[in-house]
Every structure is written in C-alpha cells, then in structure tokens.
C-alpha cells in the first residue's frame, strides 16, 4: 500500500525535527504514482501534489507519527477536504416542481440512475414524475417506462418524434397539473464535444430552468474525466455529480478529477444494477478507495 | 506537439505527459520512453519528428502483429460472442458489426442473450429491423444460455455466415456473472465444437486502468480473441490498449466512433497512433 511504501522510504528519517523539502518530494513521488494508478487526471494530480507539498514542508515531525504517516495524513486531509462534505443534498425549488436533469456521456448510467433517484424520492414521501427525453437511442423510452412500471412511478413520454425541449415543457405542465413535486428528466447520452447535442441541453435548461443538473459519471472513467467535466460545466453548468458503477473495482480517481475541475459535489453513488442500488456520497470512502 | 527542434528534457517531459493523460499508464509509458531513448541513441536520431515517426512504427508493429481479421470456420456459421461491462457499447457495436459484415455480402443473424436489462431485447430488435437481419430472442427474464442454444441451431439451419451474440453488461468483479458467461460458452461449444470462434470484449475508450482488469478477468471466463474499442469520437484516446496489448496480447480488431451503424471500422494501428500522439 501507499502507507507501506512511504514507511519504507522514511525508515532512515527517524530523529529529524521536521520534514525537509527533499523528504517531501521523495514521498510525494510515491503519492503521485498512487494517484495516477487510481486514474486521477494528470493535471489534477499535479495541482494536488503542489498543495500538499506547501503544507507538508517544514512540518514538525512528532513522536506519535512517523514522517511517512505524517505525509499520508496531509494527503488524506487534503483529499477529504477536496471531496467536500457528505451533506450534499438535492436542492428543492421554492416553487414546485423541483426539476432534476440527468446528463452525461453515453452509457454512464443516466436512465438507471433516474429510476433509482425517483425511487429514493418516492420512498421519502415525494411524488416524482420521470420524463423520457431521450428520443435517439433505440428503446430508450421503453427502458424508462419499464423502470417506471417496476417502481410504480409514472413516466411522461411523447414518443421520439417530438424534440426534447417540447417534451420537458409539456412534462413540466403535466407535473404542475398533477401535483408532482419532483421532475426527473432522463436525457440522451452525448459526447461533450458534440456541439449540436450540447446546445440541445442548453435549450432544455433554458426552457424549464431546472434546480439540479446532475452529471452522471462512470466510476471507471480515466484521464478523460477532466475533459468531460470541464466541458459540461463550461457549456451547460452542472449542480452535482452522480458517480455510477461503484460496485465495480475501479479505484474511482475520476471522482477527484470531476470535483477539482467543477467544484460541484458528488450527491449520490450508484452501487449496482438494481433500482435500490443508490447511496449517499461518503467522501472518506472514496478517499480510502483512491489511496488504495 | 513535437514540431520542436530539440530532443531535450522538455520534449521527454511533454511526451510523458501526453502518454499519461491518454491513459497509457505509468509502467507502459516508462517502458516506451526508455525504448525510445535507446532507439534515439542507437540510431543516432537527434530530431523529435523522425523519432516520433520511428516510435509510431515500432508501436504499430506490436499492435498490428496481433490483429487479424475475423475467424471463420471451414463450414457452418462463425459464432461471435460479444462481452463487456455495463454500458460500454456492446449492443450498438453488434449492430455496427452486423452492418459491416452485411455490406461485405455476408448473411448475419443476431441473438438477444441479454435477458436481464430493461428493454435490452427491444433495443436489439429495433436494430435487427433496421439492418434487415434475423434475430433470435426470448422473453425478458429468460435464460441467456437457452437463447444461445436456439440461436446456434437457427444459424445452422438458416445457413448464416455469422451469428453475433449480445450478452448482458456485467462487472468482471461479480463472480456469479462470470460463471453465467462460462455457462453461455459451454452451451455454445456443445452445439459447435470450435465455437464461439470469436469472443470480442467491448471497451469504452474513456475507461482508465480498469480496462486492463476487465480484459484480464473476462479472459479467464471466456478467452478473448479481440477487442472492440468504442466511443473514440470523444476526447478519450484509449491509450490503455497499449498496456493491454503489452500484457495480454489481445488485439484490437475494430473501433467505434459514433452511434450510427457506419461509425465503425477495422482497427488501423497507424491511424490510431497518429491520433494518440497528435
Ligand atoms: N453494476 C452497475 N451497473 C450500472 C449502474 N448504473 C447503471 N448500470 C448499468 O449500466 C448500463 C448503462 O446504464 P443506462 O442507465 O442505460 O445508461 P445511460 O447513461 O442511460 O445510457 P445512454 O442513455 O445510452 O447514454 C446498464 O447495463 C445499467 O444496468 C451501477 O451503479 N452499477
Ligand atoms: N458516441 C458514441 N456512442 C456510442 C458508441 N458506441 C455505443 N455508443 C452509445 O453508448 C450507449 C450505450 O450503448 P449500448 O450498446 O447500449 O451499450 P451496452 O454495452 O450494450 O450496454 P449494456 O447492455 O447496458 O451493458 C448508447 O447510447 C450508444 O448509442 C460510440 O462509438 N460512440
Ligand atoms: Mg439512457
Ligand atoms: Mg447491451
């Protein structure tokens, strides 16, 4: 583990009063490796290492902690601080319905997560409406309808001949008419560099002013996480992140990259294919996972 | 980036950065850079441009030496099993592969063996309709092995050239799902001794290190004959395939770069590397 590597590096440093810049550089080289192996994007690793170095150099070495343990403590603290608090909840609208737009790359888990989120709200006494706004993918609407049936949650759809903007506008009116307090909009997967499809999201945002735009990110995403997150933040603006497929064995460094470049919190974590596999986000868990 | 004049420290740093941010990985990047420095020294190359071209040729040789066209048996249908983790692009890649094979005048059939996920069968049925190919399926919740059994029988009876089997997305870390995959393979092999002739894993070009673990673990359940690298129409470079090639010798056979049937091509190492090192 990183802990073991650092303790062996620092075996010879017993008895010194404080961490020198050289000690810290040697230790941080190992940390850099660990973060890259965990799929944290290169530029995020760089700025993160620089911040930790600033804090660690000159730090007094105490009796209770070895130099290696001290560096890890700084790394862990900085990671935890970066990943934010665990109280990131959905922002409700002062005027219902609260509209949540699910966006992200193809196959990230938007449709499944839309169902999971709807179930989460239904189980906590809300009255959600799912909206099938993916008019492109074969059987996407059917997929959401089957999910809605399983959960006994209504799904609003207008088939795939109407534009997504028309669909969300009509869905909002339906929500108002039928007293739904939460609207969850499932959108089509898209590349962040597809300008036409990114414009479609902007048009949808403009037409219904959602409270939440949740970027769905696959936990196994590698270096490209910074590009995806930056693009979505710049071109659309997101309010939060859902990290999916955390039941796999990917280290999940993408979580760090996304948080660093967007500043937006991870609000939920997908932990399986079933519709109850949604958990709140615990920063310390992802930190331990990233540090291996 | 290497239209620079000098092969100096800054060049090597930039090259390392480019490779690391393309998911080539620390170990493979180090290996390639060491090799390059060696080549530059031995062949007395002093300019970045010729060195980069030399490097691309060197890596392309490694990648292409393993890539071959699709395996086809002497008689009977060629069975292609498509596997991979959730959401990578299996179903869409199957549609593209069917389209590609059909445009080369082959008779193609599909098997909808993802009986688990909501509307998975519907999704492949819609593709079958638009491609004009036969599809073997059952009800949602049915047994995937039973679908494969029926599909192989139908492919033989209807004299199909290719039978492409779509399976459910499954995380390689879930042993019960890997066991299900082994069973699917056994059922296919019982019906046609050398089948599946191809087992292709679909990898998402934006996946990091986990792609290596996926390829390794899937290989243990169903020996892989090739990779379909999908979603290359984003900004991800798919550099992880350099490591997979190095450690597992599984060749990339096809790439996907879009959601339409024609957004598909046979893997070309030289073009892939030009894009990676652009
Ligand atoms: N194991 C696991 N699988 C998941 C999770 N979330 C989604 N999936 C699976 O990932 C695959 C893709 O999920 P979808 O919900 O269809 O993804 P999507 O983002 O809507 O896809 P597009 O609409 O095509 O962009 C499906 O097989 C889901 O069952 C998760 O947390 N864990
Ligand atoms: N942009 C782009 N999207 C792709 C590509 N290949 C597949 N997709 C999209 O990725 C999403 C998931 O594709 P699927 O074919 O359903 O993936 P899958 O592996 O079968 O998913 P599961 O069966 O749920 O595990 C869909 O939105 C596809 O249109 C590609 O090369 N480029
Ligand atoms: Mg979807
Ligand atoms: Mg599929």
């Amino acid at each position: 583990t990183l802990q073991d590597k650092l303790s062996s590096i620092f075996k010879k440093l017993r008895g010194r009063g404080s961490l020198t810049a050289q000690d810290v550089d040697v230790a941080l080289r190992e940390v850099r490796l660990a973060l890259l192996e965990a799929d944290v994007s290169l530029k995020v690793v760089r700025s993160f290492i620089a911040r930790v170095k600033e804090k660690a150099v000159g730090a007094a070495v105490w009796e209770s902690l070895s130099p290696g343990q001290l560096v890890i403590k700084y790394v862990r603290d900085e990671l935890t601080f970066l990943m934010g608090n665990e109280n990131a909840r959905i922002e409700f609208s002062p005027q219902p319905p609260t509209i949540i737009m699910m966006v992200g790359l193809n196959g990230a888990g938007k449709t499944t997560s839309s169902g999971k989120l709807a179930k989460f709200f239904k189980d906590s006494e809300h009255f959600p409406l799912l909206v099938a706004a993916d008019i492109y993918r074969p059987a996407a609407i059917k997929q959401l309808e089957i999910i809605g049936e399983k959960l006994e949650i209504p799904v609003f759809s207008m088939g795939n001949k109407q534009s997504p903007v028309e669909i969300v506008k009509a869905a909002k009116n339906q929500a108002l008419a039928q007293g739904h307090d939460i609207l969850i909009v499932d959108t089509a997967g898209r590349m962040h560099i597809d300008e036409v499809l990114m414009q479609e999201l902007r048009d949808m945002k403009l037409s219904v002013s959602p409270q939440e735009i949740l970027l769905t990110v696959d936990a196994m995403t590698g270096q490209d996480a910074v590009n995806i997150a930056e693009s979505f933040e710049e071109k659309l603006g997101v309010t939060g992140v859902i990290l999916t497929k955390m039941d796999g064995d990917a280290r999940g460094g993408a979580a760090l990259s996304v948080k660093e470049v967007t500043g937006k919190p991870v609000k939920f974590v997908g932990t399986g294919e079933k519709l109850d596999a949604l958990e709140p986000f615990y920063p310390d868990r992802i930190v331990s996972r990233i540090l291996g | 980036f290497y239209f620079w004049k000098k092969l100096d420290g800054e060049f090597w740093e930039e090259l390392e950065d480019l490779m690391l941010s393309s998911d080539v990985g620390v170990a493979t990047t180090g290996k390639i850079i060491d090799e390059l420095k060696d080549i530059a020294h031995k062949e007395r190359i002093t300019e970045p441009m010729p060195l980069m071209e030399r490097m691309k040729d060197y890596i392309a040789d490694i990648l292409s030496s393993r890539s071959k066209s699709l395996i086809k048996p002497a008689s009977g249908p060629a069975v292609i099993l498509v596997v991979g983790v959730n959401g990578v692009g299996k179903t869409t890649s199957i549609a593209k592969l069917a389209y590609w094979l059909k445009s080369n005048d082959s008779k193609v059939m599909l098997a909808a063996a993802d009986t688990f996920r909501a509307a998975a069968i519907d999704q492949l049925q819609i593709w079958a309709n638009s491609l004009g190919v036969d599809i073997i399926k059952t009800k949602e919740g049915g047994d995937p092995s039973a679908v494969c059994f029926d599909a192989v029988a139908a492919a033989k009876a209807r004299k199909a050239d290719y039978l492409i089997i779509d399976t459910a997305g499954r995380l390689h870390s879930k042993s019960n799902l890997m066991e299900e995959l082994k069973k699917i393979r056994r059922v296919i092999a019982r019906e046609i001794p050398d089948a599946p002739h191809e087992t292709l894993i679909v990898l998402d070009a934006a996946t990091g290190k986990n792609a290596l673990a996926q390829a390794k673990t899937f290989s243990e359940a169903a020996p892989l004959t090739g990779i379909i690298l999908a979603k290359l129409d984003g900004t991800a470079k798919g550099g992880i395939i350099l490591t997979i090639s190095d450690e597992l010798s599984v060749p990339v056979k096809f790439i996907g770069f879009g959601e339409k049937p024609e957004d598909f091509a046979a893997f070309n190492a030289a073009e892939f590397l030009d894009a990676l090192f652009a």
Side-chain angles (χ1 to χ4, degrees), chain A residues 83 85 88 214 239-242 259 262-268 281:
Chain A
M83 288 319 299
N85 51 32
L214 300 180
T239 59
V241 175
I242 294 188
K259 180 84 210 313
T262 63
K264 304 294 163 57
V266 175
K267 299 207 172 190
F268 293 97
F281 175 68

Side-chain angles (χ1 to χ4, degrees), chain A residues 36-37 39 46 106-107 137-139 142-143 191-193 220-224 227 245 247-250 273, chain B residues 17 20-21 23 85-87 116-118 122-123 171-172 174 206-210 214 231 233-235 259:
Chain A
L36 286 173
E37 283 301 308
D39 288 327
R46 280 225 165 92
N106 304 76
R137 168 173 157 155
K142 178 113 198 254
Q143 185 185 2
M191 283 301 179
H192 49 297
I193 53 171
M220 60 183 180
T221 309
Q223 294 289 315
D224 204 41
N227 303 323
K245 306 176 204 171
D247 46 318
D249 57 8
E273 292 194 73
Chain B
D17 281 4
L20 289 177
S21 39
D23 285 308
V85 303
N86 307 73
F116 173 75
R117 204 209 69 214
D122 299 85
Q123 184 185 6
L171 292 185
H172 53 290
K174 305 205 162 157
T207 303
K209 297 284 169 321
N210 204 249
Q214 292 170 22
K231 304 182 196 168
D233 49 315
T235 47
E259 300 189 72

